[in-house]
Amino acid sequence: MRIEEIHLEAFGCYTDYRISFGDTNRTFHLLYGSNEAGKSTLLRGLTNLFYEIPANTMDAFFHTPSKLRIGGTIQCTDGRRCSFYRRKGNKNTLMFLDKQPMEDSFLQSFLGGVSKEAFTSMFALNHETLRMGGESLLKGGGNLGESLFEAAAGIHHLNQVLLKLDKAATNLFSPKASKPIINQLLSEHKKLKEKTKAASLSANKWLELKKQLISKEKELLSLQQEIREEEKERAKLERILWSLPLIAKRKTVLEELKALGQVVVLPKEFTAQRLDLSGKLALERAHKERLLKDVLELEQQILELDIPQEFILHAELIEELQQELSSYRTDLASVPQLEAENRLLEEEARNNLTQLQYHGPWEQLERLRIQLFDKERMRQLASQYYVLEQQLSNTEKQLRERLEELEELKQKREGIGEAVNIQPLQQAVADIRKLGDLEAQLEREQKAMHSLTREIQLEIEKDPLWSGTVEETERIAVPLSETLDGFHDQQQKLLSEKNALSQKIKELESFLKEIQDELEDMSKQGQVPTEQDLMQAREEREQGWTLIRRAWLDKLPDLEGERAYSPDNLEVAYQHAVEKADEVSDLLRIEAERVARYEHLIVMLQEKEKSLNSLYEALETMERDLACWTEQWHNLWGKIGIQPLSPKEMKGWCYKHAERLLLIKQRRELTHSFEENQCKLEQNCALLGSLLSRLEPNLSVREGSLSTLLGQAERILVENEKRRSDIEHLNRSIEEASQKLRRAKEEHNQAQEKIEGWRKNWAEAISKTSMPETLTVEMADQYIRIHDELFTRVDQQKKNQWALEQKRMSIQRFENHVRELLAKIEWNSQDLFSIEHLITELYAALQKAKRDAERKQQWFEQIVKMKQELEQLEENLFALENKMRLLLAQAGCEQEEQLQEAEERSKAYCQIEQQLVLLEQQLLENGAGLTIHELIKETEQVDRDLLPQFVKEKEDILRIKNEEKSHLNQEFGVIKHEFEKLDGESQEALMAAEEGETVIASLRHESERFIRYQLAAFILRKAIDDFRDKNQHPILQRASYLFNRLTLGSFIGLSIGFDSKDTPVIVGIRENGDEVGVEGMSDGTQDQLYLALRIANVEKYATENEPMPLILDDILVHFDDKRSKETLRILAEISTKVQVIYFTHHEHLVGLAKEVVEEEILDIHRIHHRQVYMEIGEMSEDKKSDRII
Amino acid sequence: MKFIHAADIHLDSPLRGLERYEGAPVETIRGASRQAFVRLVDLCLEEDIDFLLIAGDLYDGNWPDFNTGLFFAKQMSRLREASIPVYLIRGNHDAASRITKQVPLPENVHVFSFETAQTYLIESLKVAIHGQSFAMQSVTENLVHRYPMPYEGYFNIGLLHTSLNGREGHESYAPCTVTDLVDKGYDYWALGHIHKRELIYENPWILFPGNIQGRHIKETGNKGCSLVQVDEELRIEHRSLDVLRWDLCEVDLSGASDLSEVYEQVNQAVRERIQVADQRLLALRIILTGSTSVHQELNEDIEQTVNSIRAVATDSSLGHLWIEKIKIKTRPVESLDDLLEGNTPLAHLLTYIESLNEQDALLEELVEELKPLRAKLPPEFFAEENEEIKDTSYIKNQLKDIEQLIISQILK
């Protein structure tokens, strides 16, 4: 199969890109493209074309995945052709050119059933796979089978695969190791199995244990029985030992009881009752005696008590006096104090009177008293006076100040003159300002005018085509731009036509020359026979024949004709003619090709000469047209006196000229504006001058410029403005000052009036009092103060006098009362001066009398109570004595005193009896249910002296037996515990067994893996050996030849050697016969060995199958130029059998290929996707497909 | 009248083929057969049945631990407390078991003699139970002929451990035909020995209840006992007892185009199986099949694939799952036949492997290759469901996998 065309309609960076390998003679296709030219994409595209576009393709970045399309045309050796497309998708991705779906199997029939893997590994090779192949050869030590197999299958890692399988297997299992997984699992399983066995309970063990348990239990029971018997014996002995003393004691007690004889047994509480009763009797009797004695004593005391009755009668009066006594005492003391105070007050009042200059009698003193109302009025007036006085002085001062102020302002106003009218000047200045700085503008315009003039001048001078004045320049009539364009187009058209003609002529001339040369060459190689020559020769022959026929057959020789025909003999001449005709005819037949070519050339020569002549004529016409155009052109410009250049240049000149005219126009406008401004300046100067001289006549205005004048005018305007505002301000101030003065005068008058009114009031107020009329305001205050002191004292003295009299009266009254009382109670009063003492004594006596009366009353009451108590006592005594009599009867006694003895006897009897009961109770309680009699009987049967010995013996026996029992119990417990443990709940063995099963499961899993790896490695080795056996010779032979060439004779070939394990390996043979193993070869040589093996395989495949194209991607990167050339040569050779498509980045390879590969079979393509899709937009549809390479 | 018919308890028989891995629910399945048996006793008590029938193979033949017998006795005591009698015959396994004869059983447990066929009568129910235990492991005699004639006026039950006329995967013991049984004139044949539940005949009723707990991947599906109620008519109801259920889960990956889809499909399939198992713990074998474009990817590193699939399945199981095994039986989309075309070395390799099937000498060599491994493997490895690895037919079975391994390694 060979590829005729690849069409990357939309794939990777390619759009509608075609590579055609259509020329069947060219079998070695060299595809050259720089880096990034899309070489790899193209390679992928090839594989994808045959074997689907992968789902995760990296070539769908420019075109969307659904748009990806690759097409191709392929042809089989049997002549079948197929053009198809592939799209990206899951199924039905193939289609014919007419979009009809194509079956995969149909394509497969072209590919000879080669799978994608086989295709990429066997028929596609790049420098990496080459390198890997070389390395793999090295790693395999050149193992023959592997090398051949790998080289054949294109698999480089076969050796690694084998090692990997081996390693995987050894990692899983190794018969003698312990680490591999299976070995570990085996040992684990063994352990678990042992564990299961150890943890298992055997039936025998369980039965044995059960038997043990039962026998122990029996043993234990019998022992317990024995112990019980012994314990019984011991208890009996112990009982006897213990009851012996009790029985003896009982006997003694019984005897004592007998000795006591007849006894009245009194109840237990009898003694207590008796003692209680006699105690109570004694107490009651003593109490009765004490009460009688107390009554007597109280009656005696009452008789002895004496109480004064009159005191109690007047008790109220005495208590009253006693109460008043203290106020009496106070009064008595305060009389002399008041008297002294009064004297002092009178003295001070008199002093005050002296101060007030009063000399009248003391009794008329009241006349001096000033009424409260008057006093208040005086005080008010006095305070008013000070205010009024102050007001008056204030207003006076103000009045003075206002006057002075007014005077000052008036003087100032007179100092300033009057304002003048400045309105016109103001207007003029404002107008001039509006115009701006006229002088500066004029200066600028002048400068601009000068520079423009100079520029225009220069421009005109610089022009090479035109000279004249400015005005002339303005007046030139330049042709229109359209006219110039017309001339230009015409000229261009003419020139290009002329050039085209010249070109054609040149081509034709050279073509003619080629034809003439070839004709000449042909002629040189020998005369080329023509049909004409043949005809001529035949005619000559015919002529000879006619002559001969006439001479020989007709016997009418035409001698004339013969002579004319040939100087030789006729037959000779004829023979020559026949020979020549034959010769020409032969020549024509033999050199038919040459003849045809010769004739063709002649005809072509004539045709071309004819067309050349017509071209010459056309050229002449063209030149005439050009001359005519030139004349018209010159005429156009001659009118304005210009020698024209080319239309293009003249168009440039026209632009320049237009610019010039623009400058001239500008200058004219500028001049006009300048003149206008000049005129305005002069007018303004005159106006300002006249206005200024009117305002300030002495000012010089003649020489000043406009700006100076403006300065003056503005100064005057400012000064005038200031003066006007000053005057206004002063006038307003004077007006204000006069008003203030007026108000001050009014205030002053009011103050004077008020003070006059006050004086009148004052005089009036004084006249109403006793005060002297001359009294001033300042003195009035003092007077009133002394007056107030005086009357305070007078009033105080009067009050004291009244109190004094009151006191004296109450003293007298009290003393009278006392005397009255004394008379009533017939108190023997020694003197009344010690009245206080008297009252106190009286009071004390009264108190005593009262207390005595009270006590007497209490005593009476006590006596009554005591008598009642006595009656009660008598009753109690009688009851108690009755009870005593009952007791006596109970005890069988006559007297109280006999009772104690009876009691003691009864007590003794009870004690003994109690002892007896206690003893018998003890005996019965511990007597194990025997009666006292039986107990006594029991004691009688034993030897009392040996009894303790017996008890001890029994105890020893028991101790031993008990120890034995405890031991037995322990043993039983252990067995029982062990037995109970075996309740079937233990899962230890089960768990170990379960775990064992999981290990078995793992073992099974790992074994399967091991078996797979082990057998895979084994089978693979076998298969390789088998392949080696079957394919060794033809491939090795061919590879040997190729290796010799690829190494440029460095090795003469390949052979089979054997390694240390006697495995056959590939070796290279040096010229001297040395064998070199793969490990002894350089990297490059290893690559070449691998390449040789691969090529040999591909060739072998091609002989047995439908050949597949060999696609190589820059495999020569590491080859030097010489080896590269040789490789290319070999590839070219095999390309006759297998289509070779070689991709490269390296331009020099193209050169090498051209050198060594025959031109006829070499097909060079240059790839560059970018250029392609950049140009597509600009191209028309039908061209697109042609412009790919 | 209500009774339970169970058989093939195989008490304390460990589960086989469950490889441990991280996250496997080890604790749940510990003592699974014991757990299932306790459930059986619980069910007897719950249903308050009149008696329990056990049709042989109470123990596992070679199991050495006497604890198992004691455990059984203890469970039987529970039934004694509830006055439920138990009738049992010894099967081939029990005959081989060292435990059987020694265990002291409570008085409610009646074991049929192995010397002759026996009958137990339950007068209160008018039930006659006939049976005979296996005297030895291998009984090849038809025991039915020895069974007594039916009792008139009684409900006659025959208790028999048999493989009938042979059942796949089970040794042939006490052979007999269905006709033999029908002709006997009993009302109900309580059979044991076949681990898969099977109702052989109706009226008279002949039933294998199956074992109560599946023990390996060949014992898939619902396991338990049969609850039989006899009133006017007879009703049989299967009751699940298994702690762990064995199941196969085949996932057809034909539609899968990448690994994530594979995982998704596995996830889906596993969920379905768990659903079917009624949330019971599953021991699942996942088998990936179908011709798929991910075939090569799945086979490139089988360990990796198995781990990923297991992780995916475990994730979706909520602890209800133990992955027993994951088998990759997928096929490539393009058949390898394409590679066989032409005279390529790969084609040579494939042809060579294919040709091995015919080359007995070479196969023998391959068998020999495995000899060191075989010598080391313990006898337990070759128990029941394991394939023999010492004959050429085993090797032949492996050839496809080996071919797959080689190709995946070479094309990697």
Coordinates of all heavy atoms in Angstrom, one line a residue, chain A residues 544-600:
Chain A
G544 N 15.2 6.7 -61.5 CA 16.2 5.7 -61.9 C 15.4 4.4 -62.5 O 15.8 3.9 -63.5
W545 N 14.4 4.0 -61.8 CA 13.6 2.9 -62.1 C 13.0 3.1 -63.5 O 13.0 2.2 -64.3 CB 12.6 2.6 -61.0 CG 11.6 1.5 -61.3 CD1 10.3 1.5 -61.5 CD2 12.0 0.1 -61.6 NE1 9.8 0.4 -61.8 CE2 10.9 -0.6 -61.9 CE3 13.2 -0.6 -61.6 CZ2 10.8 -1.9 -62.1 CZ3 13.2 -1.9 -61.9 CH2 12.0 -2.6 -62.1
T546 N 12.4 4.3 -63.7 CA 11.8 4.6 -65.0 C 12.8 4.4 -66.1 O 12.5 3.8 -67.2 CB 11.2 6.0 -65.0 OG1 10.6 6.2 -63.7 CG2 10.2 6.2 -66.1
L547 N 14.0 4.9 -65.8 CA 15.0 4.9 -66.8 C 15.4 3.4 -67.1 O 15.5 3.0 -68.2 CB 16.3 5.7 -66.4 CG 16.1 7.2 -66.4 CD1 17.3 7.9 -65.8 CD2 15.9 7.7 -67.9
I548 N 15.5 2.7 -66.0 CA 15.9 1.3 -66.1 C 14.9 0.5 -66.9 O 15.1 -0.3 -67.8 CB 16.2 0.6 -64.8 CG1 17.6 1.1 -64.2 CG2 16.2 -0.9 -64.8 CD1 18.0 0.6 -62.9
R549 N 13.6 0.7 -66.5 CA 12.5 0.0 -67.1 C 12.5 0.3 -68.6 O 12.4 -0.6 -69.5 CB 11.2 0.5 -66.5 CG 10.1 -0.6 -66.7 CD 9.0 -0.4 -65.8 NE 8.5 1.0 -66.0 CZ 7.5 1.5 -65.2 NH1 7.0 0.8 -64.3 NH2 7.1 2.8 -65.5
R550 N 12.7 1.6 -68.9 CA 12.7 1.9 -70.3 C 13.9 1.2 -71.0 O 13.8 0.7 -72.1 CB 12.9 3.5 -70.5 CG 11.5 4.1 -70.4 CD 11.7 5.6 -70.6 NE 12.0 5.9 -72.0 CZ 12.1 7.2 -72.4 NH1 11.9 8.2 -71.5 NH2 12.4 7.5 -73.7
A551 N 15.0 1.2 -70.4 CA 16.2 0.6 -71.0 C 16.1 -0.9 -71.0 O 16.4 -1.5 -72.0 CB 17.5 1.0 -70.2
W552 N 15.7 -1.4 -69.9 CA 15.7 -2.9 -69.8 C 14.5 -3.6 -70.3 O 14.5 -4.5 -71.0 CB 16.0 -3.3 -68.3 CG 17.4 -3.0 -67.9 CD1 18.4 -2.3 -68.7 CD2 18.0 -3.3 -66.7 NE1 19.5 -2.2 -68.0 CE2 19.3 -2.7 -66.7 CE3 17.6 -4.0 -65.5 CZ2 20.2 -2.8 -65.6 CZ3 18.4 -4.0 -64.5 CH2 19.7 -3.5 -64.5
L553 N 13.3 -3.1 -69.9 CA 12.1 -3.8 -70.3 C 11.6 -3.4 -71.6 O 11.3 -4.1 -72.5 CB 11.0 -3.6 -69.2 CG 11.4 -4.3 -67.8 CD1 10.2 -3.9 -66.9 CD2 11.5 -5.8 -68.0
D554 N 11.5 -2.0 -71.7 CA 11.0 -1.5 -73.0 C 12.1 -1.5 -74.1 O 11.8 -1.2 -75.2 CB 10.5 0.0 -72.8 CG 9.4 0.0 -71.7 OD1 8.9 -1.1 -71.4 OD2 9.1 1.0 -71.2
K555 N 13.3 -1.7 -73.6 CA 14.5 -1.6 -74.5 C 14.6 -0.3 -75.2 O 15.0 -0.1 -76.3 CB 14.5 -2.8 -75.5 CG 14.3 -4.1 -74.9 CD 15.6 -4.6 -74.2 CE 15.4 -6.1 -73.8 NZ 16.3 -6.5 -72.8
L556 N 14.1 0.8 -74.6 CA 14.2 2.1 -75.1 C 15.0 3.0 -74.2 O 14.4 3.8 -73.4 CB 12.8 2.7 -75.3 CG 11.9 2.0 -76.3 CD1 10.5 2.5 -76.2 CD2 12.4 2.4 -77.7
P557 N 16.3 2.8 -74.1 CA 17.0 3.6 -73.2 C 17.0 5.1 -73.5 O 17.1 5.5 -74.6 CB 18.4 3.1 -73.3 CG 18.5 2.3 -74.5 CD 17.2 2.0 -75.0
D558 N 16.8 5.9 -72.5 CA 16.8 7.3 -72.6 C 18.2 7.8 -72.2 O 18.4 8.1 -71.0 CB 15.7 7.9 -71.6 CG 15.6 9.4 -71.7 OD1 16.4 10.0 -72.5 OD2 14.8 10.0 -71.0
L559 N 19.0 7.8 -73.1 CA 20.4 8.1 -72.8 C 20.6 9.5 -72.2 O 21.4 9.7 -71.3 CB 21.3 7.9 -74.1 CG 21.3 6.5 -74.6 CD1 22.1 6.4 -75.9 CD2 21.9 5.5 -73.6
E560 N 19.8 10.4 -72.8 CA 19.9 11.8 -72.3 C 19.5 11.8 -70.8 O 20.3 12.3 -70.1 CB 18.8 12.6 -73.1 CG 19.0 14.1 -72.9 CD 20.2 14.6 -73.7 OE1 20.8 13.9 -74.6 OE2 20.7 15.7 -73.4
G561 N 18.4 11.2 -70.7 CA 17.9 11.1 -69.3 C 18.9 10.4 -68.4 O 19.2 10.9 -67.3
E562 N 19.5 9.4 -68.9 CA 20.5 8.7 -68.1 C 21.7 9.5 -67.7 O 22.1 9.5 -66.6 CB 21.0 7.4 -68.8 CG 20.0 6.3 -68.7 CD 20.4 5.1 -69.6 OE1 21.6 4.9 -69.9 OE2 19.5 4.3 -70.0
R563 N 22.1 10.2 -68.7 CA 23.3 11.1 -68.4 C 22.9 12.2 -67.4 O 23.6 12.5 -66.5 CB 23.7 11.8 -69.7 CG 24.9 11.0 -70.4 CD 25.6 11.9 -71.4 NE 24.7 12.4 -72.4 CZ 24.4 11.7 -73.5 NH1 24.8 10.5 -73.7 NH2 23.6 12.3 -74.4
A564 N 21.7 12.7 -67.7 CA 21.3 13.7 -66.7 C 21.1 13.1 -65.3 O 21.3 13.7 -64.3 CB 19.9 14.3 -67.2
Y565 N 20.6 11.9 -65.4 CA 20.4 11.2 -64.1 C 21.6 11.0 -63.3 O 21.7 11.3 -62.1 CB 19.7 9.9 -64.4 CG 19.3 9.1 -63.1 CD1 18.4 9.6 -62.2 CD2 19.9 7.9 -62.8 CE1 18.1 8.9 -61.1 CE2 19.5 7.1 -61.7 CZ 18.6 7.7 -60.8 OH 18.3 7.0 -59.7
S566 N 22.7 10.5 -64.0 CA 23.9 10.2 -63.2 C 25.1 10.1 -64.2 O 24.9 9.6 -65.3 CB 23.8 8.9 -62.4 OG 25.0 8.6 -61.9
P567 N 26.2 10.6 -63.7 CA 27.4 10.4 -64.5 C 27.8 8.9 -64.5 O 28.5 8.5 -65.4 CB 28.5 11.3 -63.8 CG 28.0 11.5 -62.4 CD 26.5 11.3 -62.5
D568 N 27.4 8.2 -63.5 CA 27.8 6.8 -63.4 C 26.9 6.0 -64.3 O 26.0 6.5 -64.9 CB 27.7 6.3 -61.9 CG 28.6 7.0 -61.0 OD1 29.6 7.5 -61.4 OD2 28.2 7.2 -59.8
N569 N 27.2 4.6 -64.2 CA 26.3 3.7 -64.9 C 25.0 3.8 -64.2 O 24.8 4.0 -63.0 CB 26.8 2.3 -64.7 CG 28.0 2.1 -65.7 OD1 28.2 2.8 -66.6 ND2 28.8 1.1 -65.4
L570 N 24.0 3.6 -65.1 CA 22.6 3.7 -64.6 C 22.3 2.7 -63.4 O 21.8 3.1 -62.4 CB 21.6 3.4 -65.8 CG 20.2 3.5 -65.4 CD1 19.8 4.9 -64.9 CD2 19.3 3.1 -66.6
E571 N 22.8 1.5 -63.7 CA 22.5 0.5 -62.6 C 23.1 0.8 -61.3 O 22.5 0.7 -60.2 CB 22.9 -1.0 -63.1 CG 24.3 -1.2 -63.2 CD 24.8 -0.9 -64.7 OE1 24.1 -0.2 -65.4 OE2 25.9 -1.4 -65.0
V572 N 24.4 1.3 -61.5 CA 25.1 1.8 -60.2 C 24.3 2.9 -59.6 O 24.0 2.9 -58.4 CB 26.5 2.1 -60.5 CG1 27.2 2.6 -59.3 CG2 27.3 1.0 -61.1
A573 N 23.9 3.9 -60.5 CA 23.3 5.0 -59.9 C 21.9 4.6 -59.3 O 21.6 5.1 -58.2 CB 23.0 6.1 -61.1
Y574 N 21.2 3.7 -60.0 CA 19.9 3.3 -59.4 C 20.1 2.6 -58.1 O 19.4 2.8 -57.1 CB 19.2 2.4 -60.4 CG 18.0 1.8 -59.9 CD1 16.8 2.7 -59.6 CD2 17.9 0.5 -59.5 CE1 15.7 2.2 -59.1 CE2 16.7 0.0 -59.0 CZ 15.6 0.8 -58.8 OH 14.4 0.3 -58.3
Q575 N 21.1 1.7 -58.1 CA 21.4 1.0 -56.9 C 21.7 2.0 -55.7 O 21.1 1.9 -54.6 CB 22.6 0.1 -57.0 CG 22.8 -0.9 -55.9 CD 24.0 -1.8 -56.1 OE1 24.6 -1.8 -57.2 NE2 24.4 -2.4 -55.1
H576 N 22.5 3.0 -56.1 CA 22.7 4.1 -55.1 C 21.5 4.7 -54.6 O 21.3 4.9 -53.4 CB 23.7 5.2 -55.6 CG 25.1 4.7 -55.6 ND1 25.8 4.5 -54.4 CD2 26.1 4.5 -56.6 CE1 27.0 4.1 -54.7 NE2 27.2 4.1 -56.0
A577 N 20.6 5.0 -55.7 CA 19.3 5.7 -55.3 C 18.5 4.8 -54.4 O 17.9 5.3 -53.4 CB 18.6 6.0 -56.6
V578 N 18.4 3.5 -54.8 CA 17.6 2.6 -53.9 C 18.2 2.6 -52.5 O 17.5 2.7 -51.5 CB 17.6 1.2 -54.5 CG1 17.0 0.2 -53.6 CG2 16.8 1.2 -55.8
E579 N 19.5 2.4 -52.5 CA 20.2 2.4 -51.1 C 19.9 3.6 -50.3 O 19.6 3.6 -49.1 CB 21.7 2.2 -51.3 CG 22.0 0.7 -51.5 CD 23.5 0.6 -51.9 OE1 24.2 1.6 -52.0 OE2 23.9 -0.5 -52.2
K580 N 20.0 4.8 -51.1 CA 19.8 6.0 -50.4 C 18.4 6.2 -49.8 O 18.2 6.6 -48.7 CB 20.1 7.2 -51.3 CG 20.3 8.5 -50.5 CD 20.7 9.7 -51.4 CE 20.8 10.9 -50.6 NZ 20.7 12.1 -51.4
A581 N 17.4 5.8 -50.7 CA 16.0 5.9 -50.3 C 15.8 5.0 -49.0 O 15.2 5.4 -48.0 CB 15.1 5.4 -51.4
D582 N 16.4 3.8 -49.1 CA 16.3 2.9 -48.0 C 16.9 3.5 -46.7 O 16.4 3.4 -45.6 CB 16.9 1.5 -48.3 CG 16.0 0.7 -49.2 OD1 14.9 1.1 -49.4 OD2 16.5 -0.4 -49.7
E583 N 18.1 4.0 -47.0 CA 18.9 4.6 -45.9 C 18.0 5.7 -45.2 O 17.9 5.8 -44.0 CB 20.2 5.2 -46.4 CG 21.2 5.5 -45.3 CD 22.4 6.1 -46.0 OE1 22.7 5.9 -47.2 OE2 23.1 6.8 -45.2
V584 N 17.5 6.6 -46.1 CA 16.7 7.7 -45.6 C 15.5 7.2 -44.8 O 15.2 7.6 -43.7 CB 16.3 8.7 -46.7 CG1 15.3 9.7 -46.2 CG2 17.5 9.4 -47.3
S585 N 14.9 6.2 -45.5 CA 13.7 5.6 -44.8 C 14.1 5.0 -43.5 O 13.4 5.2 -42.5 CB 13.1 4.6 -45.8 OG 12.2 3.8 -45.1
D586 N 15.2 4.3 -43.5 CA 15.6 3.6 -42.2 C 15.9 4.7 -41.2 O 15.5 4.5 -40.0 CB 16.9 2.8 -42.5 CG 16.5 1.5 -43.1 OD1 15.3 1.2 -43.2 OD2 17.4 0.7 -43.5
L587 N 16.6 5.7 -41.7 CA 17.0 6.8 -40.7 C 15.7 7.4 -40.1 O 15.7 7.6 -38.9 CB 17.8 7.8 -41.4 CG 19.3 7.8 -41.2 CD1 19.9 8.8 -42.2 CD2 19.7 8.0 -39.8
L588 N 14.8 7.6 -41.0 CA 13.5 8.2 -40.5 C 12.9 7.3 -39.5 O 12.4 7.7 -38.5 CB 12.6 8.4 -41.7 CG 12.6 9.8 -42.4 CD1 11.7 9.8 -43.6 CD2 12.2 10.9 -41.4
R589 N 12.9 6.0 -39.8 CA 12.3 5.0 -38.8 C 13.1 5.0 -37.5 O 12.5 5.1 -36.4 CB 12.2 3.7 -39.5 CG 11.4 2.7 -38.7 CD 11.3 1.4 -39.5 NE 12.5 0.9 -40.0 CZ 13.4 0.2 -39.3 NH1 13.3 0.0 -38.1 NH2 14.6 -0.2 -39.9
I590 N 14.4 4.9 -37.7 CA 15.2 4.7 -36.5 C 15.2 6.0 -35.6 O 15.0 5.9 -34.4 CB 16.7 4.4 -36.9 CG1 16.7 3.0 -37.5 CG2 17.6 4.4 -35.7 CD1 18.0 2.7 -38.3
E591 N 15.3 7.1 -36.4 CA 15.4 8.3 -35.5 C 14.1 9.1 -35.6 O 14.0 10.3 -35.6 CB 16.5 9.2 -36.1 CG 17.8 8.6 -35.9 CD 19.0 9.6 -35.9 OE1 18.7 10.7 -35.6 OE2 20.1 9.2 -36.2
A592 N 13.0 8.3 -35.5 CA 11.7 8.9 -35.6 C 11.5 10.0 -34.6 O 11.0 11.1 -34.8 CB 10.6 7.8 -35.5
E593 N 12.0 9.6 -33.4 CA 11.8 10.6 -32.2 C 12.5 11.8 -32.5 O 12.0 12.9 -32.4 CB 12.3 9.9 -31.0 CG 11.6 10.5 -29.7 CD 12.2 9.8 -28.5 OE1 12.5 8.6 -28.6 OE2 12.3 10.4 -27.4
R594 N 13.8 11.6 -32.9 CA 14.6 12.8 -33.2 C 14.0 13.6 -34.3 O 14.0 14.8 -34.3 CB 16.0 12.3 -33.5 CG 17.1 13.1 -32.8 CD 18.4 12.4 -32.9 NE 19.4 13.4 -33.5 CZ 20.2 13.2 -34.5 NH1 20.2 12.0 -35.1 NH2 21.1 14.1 -34.9
V595 N 13.6 12.9 -35.3 CA 13.0 13.6 -36.5 C 11.8 14.4 -36.0 O 11.7 15.6 -36.4 CB 12.5 12.5 -37.5 CG1 11.8 13.2 -38.7 CG2 13.8 11.9 -38.1
A596 N 11.0 13.7 -35.3 CA 9.8 14.4 -34.8 C 10.1 15.7 -34.0 O 9.6 16.7 -34.2 CB 8.9 13.5 -33.9
R597 N 11.1 15.5 -33.2 CA 11.5 16.6 -32.3 C 12.1 17.7 -33.2 O 11.8 18.9 -33.1 CB 12.6 16.1 -31.4 CG 13.3 17.1 -30.5 CD 12.4 17.5 -29.3 NE 12.9 18.6 -28.6 CZ 12.2 19.5 -28.0 NH1 10.9 19.4 -28.0 NH2 12.7 20.5 -27.3
Y598 N 12.9 17.3 -34.3 CA 13.5 18.3 -35.1 C 12.4 19.1 -35.9 O 12.4 20.3 -35.9 CB 14.4 17.5 -36.1 CG 15.3 18.4 -37.0 CD1 16.5 19.0 -36.4 CD2 15.0 18.7 -38.3 CE1 17.3 19.8 -37.2 CE2 15.8 19.6 -39.1 CZ 17.0 20.1 -38.5 OH 17.8 20.9 -39.3
E599 N 11.5 18.3 -36.4 CA 10.4 19.0 -37.1 C 9.6 19.9 -36.2 O 9.3 21.0 -36.6 CB 9.5 18.0 -37.7 CG 10.1 17.4 -39.0 CD 9.3 16.3 -39.6 OE1 8.3 15.9 -39.0 OE2 9.7 15.8 -40.7
H600 N 9.4 19.4 -35.1 CA 8.6 20.2 -34.1 C 9.3 21.5 -33.8 O 8.7 22.6 -33.8 CB 8.4 19.4 -32.8 CG 7.8 20.1 -31.7 ND1 6.5 20.5 -31.7 CD2 8.3 20.6 -30.5 CE1 6.2 21.1 -30.6 NE2 7.3 21.2 -29.8

